[in-house]
């Protein structure tokens, strides 16, 4: 019954509700994530909140491979959900974590993932306060799936929503695009580059806090994950009933990411990011906001990449580097499955 | 690209972040779960809360088979998480739902699950306000996994926790035990009985509200799911550093469940429930609480099944119907994998 953290594997009993599960939960999850709310040992965490607006969000993580340059499924499951809370204009408070494990998965890999998740949670200052573990038979899952949920408190006076973009507003991205998706695909395809391409996976809530302090009137915050900047801006254009005009030359893209995209036949506009945000703000806030973002370690490469325009068709278009203009459409098919 | 709800199947593009995913989300999830918070169309739901204590909880659902007498994975994913919120002594407010879908899963089955989930949510009065969908390749999951999270507001003056049981306290169960697990196993084993055994899956928050009104001093609330009453009471004994003495003759068990357990070699004490709760209360509250539970449609078969005693060994024991006494140990191995 003792857990072998070197060569042991996940067994069905680890999800059965008995002593084996209690041991896994105690030795791994409670030990790694320890905090007063989790340590209370109930099926739910109890905490005190002030009166006000809260947000709640959830995301499932099924990324393949589980480990990649710049992170793993554990850190990603923290960063992604912290970011979804932050994109609601909110300070993240707490996370929950649900694990679905495949029978036979190495306990050493699970420990590595949980340790990384605990480190990401500690670094972000957002504790994992409640969780759940299920185990399914070999061949009925793919190693580990993690679903996190998060809650947070909306900053006073801030009101961001995907339907608030207005013609004349300015579109800002917080840094280089495409890093996460290209890092994942490079591992999958076994590509080697002169300098390693790393995922940008990180928690952006501290950048958001800085942003809402200097520009509380900002309209939209969104992290361009699956489908990349292109899918996200199309969603926002649809929700706000506006068009958008991008400037290709203004898009911050690392040279090695650009090169890898050419090699792989990808358009960086459609590639997932896990440590970047898009912001839409009134024109009078743009310069102040951009300066504050660039002064923050998470926004050094921030750039104004376009503007919101009146357009009944709700098209996202882009002035190309060659002087033309093209429609940046929704992603039609699947570009990169299991990118997050 | 049009979704075929009769013979269509889940494709990888439905999780890709592009137009196909947007269509699935709009036509299925947003349509079924529609409510003002979800309809806002952001990656997170925003709502107003009063100052006070809140709870947060999560559970993953990997039950096999997906459809069973008395419910399906969709209704279960609502009931289970609503109950985990309620067991915190809280009124459930909102749910999130994360879906992990296997490529090739029939869209008609998915629609049936989501429709059932929406009905359970509506019946409980607890809306699903935010969600996420991922798709993995054929053979990398098993149809559908759902992870729900829930938040709620703790009732004023109520303080329940697994470490609050005290010697002399009374243990009450809200109804018959073993129904859920036996219903699932009967389907798996292809067993036929004279009368169908149905899962007891239901949301218990209204029963909890009644209970805290008549006995705000109750100490512990817990739903005996995986591992059944035996595992739950052992956990509580451990957390509270007490022993427990059960009375076998007092355990409410349906005759057909008892018969099926004998046939299957199961002990109903270890079989999962999804619509029952265990309550531990001070002795002076027990009669009033029991009467209130029995007067409630969800507690008609409620019974006092034992008491808390001082015991440094933290044993759960049971006076058997034959006049003996046995230790009710933790579940050692896996009894019923994927029971919830």
């Amino acid at each position: 019954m003792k857990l072998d953290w070197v060569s042991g594997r996940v067994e069905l009993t680890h999800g059965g509700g008995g002593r084996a599960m209690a041991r896994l939960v105690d030795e791994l999850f409670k030990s790694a994530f320890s905090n007063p709310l989790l340590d209370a040992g109930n099926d739910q965490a109890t905490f005190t909140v002030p009166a006000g607006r809260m947000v709640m969000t959830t995301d499932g993580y099924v990324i393949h491979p589980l480990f990649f340059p710049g992170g793993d499924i554990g850190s990603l499951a923290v960063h992604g959900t912290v970011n979804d809370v932050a994109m609601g204009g909110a300070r993240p408070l707490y996370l929950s974590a649900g694990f679905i494990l495949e029978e036979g998965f190495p306990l050493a890999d699970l420990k590595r993932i949980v340790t990384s998740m605990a480190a990401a949670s500690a670094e972000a200052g957002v504790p994992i306060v409640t969780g759940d573990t299920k185990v399914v038979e070999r061949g009925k899952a793919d190693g580990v799936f993690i679903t996190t949920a998060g809650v947070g408190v909306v900053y006073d006076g801030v009101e961001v929503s995907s339907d608030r973009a207005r013609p004349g507003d300015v579109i800002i991205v917080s840094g280089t695009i495409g890093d996460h998706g290209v890092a994942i695909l490079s591992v999958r395809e076994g590509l080697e580059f002169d300098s390693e391409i790393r995922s940008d996976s990180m928690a952006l809530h501290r950048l958001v806090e800085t942003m809402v302090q200097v520009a509380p009137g900002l309209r939209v915050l969104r992290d361009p994950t699956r489908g990349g900047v292109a899918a996200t801006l199309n969603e926002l254009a649809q929700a706000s009933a506006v068009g958008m005009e991008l400037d290709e030359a203004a898009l911050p893209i690392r040279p090695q990411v650009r090169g890898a995209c050419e090699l792989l036949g990808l358009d960086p506009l459609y590639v997932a990011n896990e440590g970047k945000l898009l912001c839409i703000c009134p024109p009078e806030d743009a310069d102040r906001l951009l300066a504050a973002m660039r002064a923050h370690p998470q926004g050094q490469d921030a750039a104004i990449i376009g503007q919101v325009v009146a357009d009944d068709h709700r098209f996202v278009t882009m002035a190309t580097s060659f002087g033309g203009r093209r429609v940046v459409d929704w992603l039609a098919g699947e570009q990169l499955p299991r990118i997050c």
Side-chain angles (χ1 to χ4, degrees), chain A:
Chain A
M1 285 278 289
K2 200 166 173 335
L3 289 166
D4 176 353
W5 292 107
V6 177
S7 54
R9 291 180 180 274
V10 171
E11 298 168 18
L12 283 174
T13 53
H14 292 136
R19 207 189 286 273
M21 191 175 90
R23 181 159 293 176
L24 182 74
V25 169
D26 285 348
E27 287 190 26
L28 182 59
F29 297 111
K30 286 194 182 172
S31 156
F33 299 149
S34 178
N35 60 71
L37 297 186
L38 183 73
D39 298 348
N42 291 304
D43 274 348
Q44 63 293 116
T46 308
F47 46 86
T48 304
V49 294
R53 288 172 300 156
M54 291 189 72
V55 299
M56 178 181 195
T57 187
T58 193
D59 253 337
Y61 299 86
V62 298
I63 192 164
H64 177 80
L66 294 170
F67 303 95
F68 49 83
D72 56 54
I73 191 172
S75 54
L76 185 67
V78 169
H79 295 157
T81 295
V82 164
N83 288 347
D84 275 349
V85 171
M87 298 307 134
R91 185 166 61 85
L93 291 180
Y94 302 113
L95 298 177
S96 66
F99 292 81
I100 296 173
L101 308 176
E102 183 188 7
E103 179 190 16
F105 187 69
L107 284 176
D109 286 352
L110 181 60
K111 188 166 193 172
R112 192 175 152 202
I113 288 166
V114 169
T115 303
S116 156
M117 200 169 174
S121 159
E123 207 282 315
V126 186
I128 295 162
V129 295
T130 189
D132 179 59
T133 308
K134 293 292 189 304
V135 180
V136 299
E137 304 89 337
R138 204 180 287 263
K140 300 297 186 186
D142 195 14
V144 182
F145 300 142
I146 303 175
T147 300
T148 45
V151 294
V153 173
V154 182
Y155 293 106
D156 278 344
V158 172
E159 190 169 346
V160 291
S161 181
S162 56
D163 59 0
R164 295 197 66 226
R166 296 288 173 269
D169 284 355
V170 171
I171 306 168
I172 301 175
V173 68
S174 67
T176 57
I177 66 172
D179 302 31
H180 176 75
V182 167
I184 301 304
L185 203 61
S186 299
V187 178
R188 283 195 207 155
E189 304 286 325
L191 298 181
E192 301 271 351
F193 299 103
D194 288 347
S195 60
E196 187 185 54
I197 297 177
R198 294 172 65 82
S199 167
D200 59 351
S201 178
M202 71 176 158
L204 296 169
H205 55 311
R206 295 188 180 103
L207 176 63
V208 168
E209 184 165 21
T210 298
M211 292 170 66
V212 300
Q213 278 166 359
V214 302
L218 55 83
R219 319 249 208 215
V220 183
L221 286 169
R222 184 70 78 92
D223 52 339
T225 55
R226 272 183 291 182
V229 169
T232 302
L233 290 182
N234 270 283
E235 265 186 63
L236 298 177
Q238 196 62 39
S240 292
V242 295
M244 297 188 184
E245 290 180 353
L246 302 182
D247 175 7
E248 184 169 20
L251 293 172
I253 305 176
R254 285 184 207 283
Q256 63 266 46
V257 168
R258 190 187 298 276
C261 279
E262 282 169 12
L263 197 67
L264 294 161
L266 297 175
D267 182 339
L269 272 180
Y270 292 89
V271 175
N273 310 277
E274 292 290 347
K276 299 293 151 46
L277 62 80
L278 289 166
C279 168
I280 299 178
C281 70
E284 62 272 21
D285 288 349
D287 289 342
R288 192 171 67 250
L289 190 53
L290 185 66
M293 291 173 74
R294 285 188 170 163
H296 193 281
Q298 296 179 324
Q300 286 168 359
D301 298 318
I304 292 175
I305 61 168
Q307 60 178 331
V308 179
V309 297
D311 178 2
D312 290 343
H313 297 295
R314 309 179 185 188
F315 282 156
V316 177
T317 65
M318 184 164 74
T320 68
S321 306
F322 303 108
R325 178 164 291 279
R326 71 172 174 96
V327 172
V328 177
D329 201 0
W330 285 81
L331 185 61
E334 171 76 5
Q335 201 179 24
L336 290 172
R338 300 180 64 185
I339 198 71
C340 61

